[in-house]
């Protein structure tokens, strides 16, 4: 069984300038997350406004049926893998930085199409374009953040991606709560991809990617910049660690064939073990985080029947996610990813079971019941944002070997969103089949099985170098 203790043995001695330089380097990735967080919530406000003639804007002419709503919501995840595949072919050629710049183009086009949408088909096309943006952006932004950060800061700085992601969601929902015009809200949020492009143009390429391209001198120079413009001698140890990580077949096992193909490498234990772990992790992250439920939040909150303003409650739920993500930045370093995963998954599972049981068996005291289930549901959103959600996107940047890292980041995020698609598309059907509150009970019970799996199979990766993590799975 993996130990719960964090290995403190590997520290590179850099100062505050290094921390600031790394924050600046991933600022483009942070603002990209604001853009993505806003786009993921667009379906929530559009469906809430248009489904079954629910719009509060007298000038709005579009209407949407429940079936059209489920397709509009789920297309965002169905076509995300296409963006992942595109990034797979372009990452090695253009690098993470250029790919993070290119990914904003379909996002801008999609939001402009939404603003001018005249029919449901235009909504579908815009959802597909946002899916391409979402899919294309994940692998380069996550891989870039994982490669430019030093080990002791990697977990915290990558976890901060979730703060900006939820920040984008809360900005969009707050703007909509104020304007009550979904078209205007979408138009205003086009400022985020423009800022992302501007920031990404000022950041350096990843040293690990440059090493893979044989540009050792530029890689060393960029690493020096990323560590606060320290001398080459001061960052030499970390640079050599990157060199070893980037060519494990040459350094770690001289008997292995150096010309082993990338696809043959994919089926080796050091790849398959972390890949299997990552897929199971993404399944349970989707299950308890509420991500597949986001497009249906308006109807879910109405079914809880608590006397609250639905639009502002959604904004408040995103604010809870921001607070949870802020806490994750500090708690991951303090408690480790393994403990936080087990803690947050178990608590969320218990809360979901409680919601289901209260909703089914405690119907007499309806005002009290409505408030309790609402509070418990909001608590699951908060708890998941403290642990299992940010950790999932940190793990995917850490646990794969260098040779297949880009392709596995793309494949993993691709499959993650396929899982999200099925959960999103068929949530309404599942709700009809099991009845509304029984869905929560089922989610909680399945989540407890995930706790058992992770207890035995999830290693601690916090404060470990990429090379050390890769060694664990060999």
């Amino acid at each position: 069984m993996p130990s719960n203790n964090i290995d403190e043995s590997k520290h590179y001695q850099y100062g505050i300038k290094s921390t600031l330089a790394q924050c600046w380097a991933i600022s483009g990735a942070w603002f990209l997350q604001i853009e993505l967080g806003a786009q993921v919530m667009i379906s929530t406000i559009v469906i809430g406004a248009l489904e079954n003639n629910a719009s509060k804007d007298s000038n709005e002419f579009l209407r949407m049926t429940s079936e059209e709503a489920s397709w509009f919501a789920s297309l965002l995840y169905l076509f995300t893998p296409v963006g992942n595949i595109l990034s797979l072919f372009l990452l090695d050629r253009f690098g993470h930085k250029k790919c993070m710049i290119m990914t904003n183009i379909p996002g801008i086009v999609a939001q402009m199409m939404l603003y001018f949408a005249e029919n449901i088909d235009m909504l579908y096309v815009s959802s597909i374009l946002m899916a391409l943006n979402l899919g294309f952006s994940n692998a380069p932004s996550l891989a870039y953040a994982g490669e430019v950060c030093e080990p002791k800061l990697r977990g915290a700085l990558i976890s901060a991606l979730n703060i900006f992601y939820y920040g984008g969601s809360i900005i969009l929902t707050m703007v909509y709560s104020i304007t009550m015009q979904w078209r205007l809200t979408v138009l205003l949020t086009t400022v985020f991809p423009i800022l992302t492009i501007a920031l990404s143009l000022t950041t350096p390429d990843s040293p690990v990617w440059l090493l893979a391209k044989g540009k050792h001198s530029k890689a060393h120079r960029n690493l020096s910049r990323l560590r606060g413009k320290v001398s080459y001698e001061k960052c030499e140890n970390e640079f050599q660690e990157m060199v070893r990580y980037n060519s494990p077949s040459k350094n770690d096992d001289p008997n292995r064939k150096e010309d082993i193909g990338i696809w043959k490498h994919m089926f080796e234990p050091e790849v398959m073990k972390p890949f299997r772990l990552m897929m199971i992790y993404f399944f349970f992250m989707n299950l308890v985080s509420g991500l597949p439920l986001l497009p249906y939040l308006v109807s879910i909150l109405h079914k809880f029947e608590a006397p609250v303003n639905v639009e502002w409650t959604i904004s408040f739920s995103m604010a809870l996610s921001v607070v949870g993500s802020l806490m994750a930045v500090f708690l991951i370093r303090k408690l480790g990813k393994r403990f936080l995963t087990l803690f947050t998954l178990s608590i969320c599972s218990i809360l979901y079971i409680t919601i289901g049981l209260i909703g089914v068996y405690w119907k007499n005291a309806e005002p009290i019941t409505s408030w309790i289930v609402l509070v418990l549901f909001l608590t699951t959103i908060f708890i998941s944002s403290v642990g299992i959600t940010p950790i999932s996107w940190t793990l995917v940047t850490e646990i794969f070997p260098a040779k297949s890292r880009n392709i596995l980041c793309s494949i993993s995020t691709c499959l993650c969103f396929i899982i999200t698609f099925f959960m999103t598309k068929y949530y309404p059907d599942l709700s009809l089949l099991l009845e509304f509150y029984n869905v929560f009970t089922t989610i909680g019970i399945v989540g407890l099985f995930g706790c058992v799996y992770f207890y035995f199979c999830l290693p601690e990766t916090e404060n470990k170098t990429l090379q050390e993590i890769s060694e664990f799975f060999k």
Side-chain angles (χ1 to χ4, degrees):
M1 184 183 68
S3 170
N4 208 28
N5 296 326
I6 298 175
D7 185 357
E8 297 276 338
S9 61
K10 185 71 70 173
H11 282 285
Y12 301 110
Q13 300 300 319
Y14 303 118
I16 186 64
K17 287 185 178 180
S18 172
T19 302
L20 294 175
Q22 290 169 71
C23 290
W24 156 67
I26 65 172
S27 61
W30 283 345
F31 271 81
L32 181 58
Q33 292 303 308
I34 295 179
E35 174 188 346
L36 299 180
Q39 289 182 352
V40 166
M41 289 302 295
I42 283 175
S43 62
T44 304
I45 65 170
V46 173
I47 291 173
L50 303 184
E51 186 180 12
N52 300 321
N53 301 324
S55 179
K56 298 178 182 178
D57 183 1
S58 58
N59 296 320
E60 182 55 59
F61 57 89
L62 272 182
R63 297 294 181 265
M64 181 183 286
T65 66
S66 296
E67 179 66 16
E68 289 169 338
S70 70
W71 276 112
F72 176 65
S74 57
L75 281 174
L76 179 64
Y77 304 111
L78 179 61
F79 282 87
T80 298
V82 179
N84 286 128
I85 293 170
L86 287 174
S87 70
L88 181 64
F89 289 107
L90 297 177
L91 259 179
D92 283 332
R93 180 175 181 180
F94 294 105
H96 312 90
K97 173 183 169 179
K98 291 184 180 68
C99 284
M100 283 195 294
I101 293 172
M102 290 188 291
T103 190
N104 294 279
I105 297 172
I108 294 173
V109 174
Q111 290 180 242
M112 295 307 297
M113 282 190 68
L114 275 169
Y115 180 74
F116 292 107
E118 297 179 353
N119 51 57
I120 297 298
D121 290 338
M122 290 185 71
L123 294 182
Y124 288 161
V125 174
S126 66
S127 186
I128 291 171
L129 287 173
M130 286 189 291
L132 295 176
N133 181 27
L134 183 63
F136 192 93
S137 65
N138 269 284
S141 61
L142 290 171
Y144 180 80
E147 291 177 0
V148 302
C149 299
E150 60 182 292
K152 69 177 182 179
L153 296 177
R154 189 190 309 122
L157 293 181
I158 295 178
S159 295
L161 291 171
N162 281 275
I163 298 173
F164 289 89
Y165 176 87
Y166 289 122
S169 297
I170 192 173
I171 289 171
L172 181 126
T173 53
M174 287 186 68
V175 171
Y176 178 66
S177 298
I178 294 169
T179 64
M180 296 307 296
Q181 297 181 46
W182 67 269
R183 292 178 187 269
L184 177 60
T185 301
V186 168
L187 181 65
L188 291 174
T189 54
T190 54
V191 67
F192 297 130
I194 296 171
L195 286 174
T196 300
I197 293 172
L199 285 168
S200 297
L201 288 171
T202 69
T203 59
D205 284 309
S206 159
V208 175
W209 178 75
L210 290 170
L211 283 172
K213 293 299 177 183
K215 301 178 180 180
H216 284 237
S217 177
K218 188 174 182 180
H220 210 164
R221 184 166 65 251
N222 279 12
L223 180 61
S224 173
R225 291 177 62 194
L226 290 165
R227 300 301 178 256
K229 295 185 178 179
V230 298
S231 65
Y232 281 16
E233 291 76 16
K234 191 166 185 177
C235 64
E236 180 65 25
N237 288 339
E238 186 179 7
F239 182 70
Q240 292 304 321
E241 184 78 22
M242 287 183 173
V243 172
R244 289 192 293 273
Y245 168 71
N246 210 56
S247 53
S249 61
K250 297 179 181 179
N251 294 300
D252 297 336
D253 189 355
N255 295 319
R256 290 180 66 180
K257 296 180 180 179
E258 295 182 9
D259 60 347
I260 184 172
I262 186 67
W263 292 106
K264 184 178 179 181
H265 180 66
M266 291 275 290
F267 294 97
E268 296 186 353
E270 65 187 88
V271 175
M272 293 304 296
K273 287 179 181 178
F275 180 73
R276 180 175 61 246
L277 174 66
M278 204 64 248
M279 288 302 95
I280 295 172
Y281 203 104
F282 275 141
F283 171 80
F284 285 103
M285 183 274 289
N286 271 286
L287 189 72
V288 302
S289 68
L291 178 60
L293 304 181
L294 285 182
Y296 310 107
L297 273 184
V298 173
S299 65
I300 288 173
L301 294 177
H302 281 310
K303 287 178 182 177
F304 286 158
E305 297 182 345
V308 294
N309 180 286
V310 170
E311 288 76 21
W312 281 105
T313 302
I314 293 173
S315 296
F316 178 69
S317 70
M318 294 300 102
L320 289 175
S321 297
V322 172
V323 174
S325 298
L326 278 169
M327 292 178 62
V329 171
F330 301 100
L331 290 177
I332 285 175
R333 291 189 63 188
K334 182 79 172 176
L335 302 175
K337 301 184 184 77
R338 173 179 157 79
F339 175 83
L340 274 180
T341 296
L342 293 170
F343 177 77
T344 56
L345 179 56
S346 60
I347 294 299
C348 285
S349 299
I350 293 169
L351 291 177
Y352 273 120
I353 292 173
T354 306
I355 291 171
L357 294 177
I358 290 175
V360 171
Y361 295 108
W362 192 18
K363 295 181 178 179
N364 296 329
E366 285 194 5
I368 299 175
T369 302
S370 299
W371 278 107
I372 291 176
V373 294
L374 175 62
V375 170
L376 292 178
F377 181 72
L378 292 176
T379 304
T380 64
I381 294 175
F382 169 71
I383 294 293
S384 64
S385 67
V386 172
I388 192 167
T389 300
I391 290 171
S392 65
W393 298 112
T394 305
L395 277 179
V396 79
T397 70
E398 296 178 329
I399 65 175
F400 297 123
K403 186 169 186 176
S404 52
R405 191 157 181 269
N406 284 340
I407 188 172
L408 286 169
C409 274
S410 294
I411 292 173
S412 296
T413 51
C414 168
L415 293 175
C416 173
F417 286 111
I418 289 177
I419 294 170
T420 311
F421 162 74
F422 281 106
M423 289 187 176
T424 303
K425 179 67 179 76
Y426 295 107
Y427 161 75
D429 298 322
L430 186 64
S431 185
L432 289 173
L433 178 66
L434 300 180
E435 296 186 356
F436 178 68
Y437 281 106
N438 288 331
V439 173
F440 293 95
T441 306
T442 304
I443 290 172
I445 292 172
V446 176
L448 292 178
F449 284 101
C451 295
V452 176
Y453 173 81
F454 291 132
Y455 182 80
F456 290 103
C457 300
L458 181 65
E460 181 56 73
T461 63
E462 183 62 14
N463 206 40
K464 302 289 181 64
T465 66
L466 297 176
Q467 177 66 20
E468 289 170 335
I469 296 169
S470 182
E471 286 290 335
F472 176 86
F473 291 103
K474 286 185 177 179

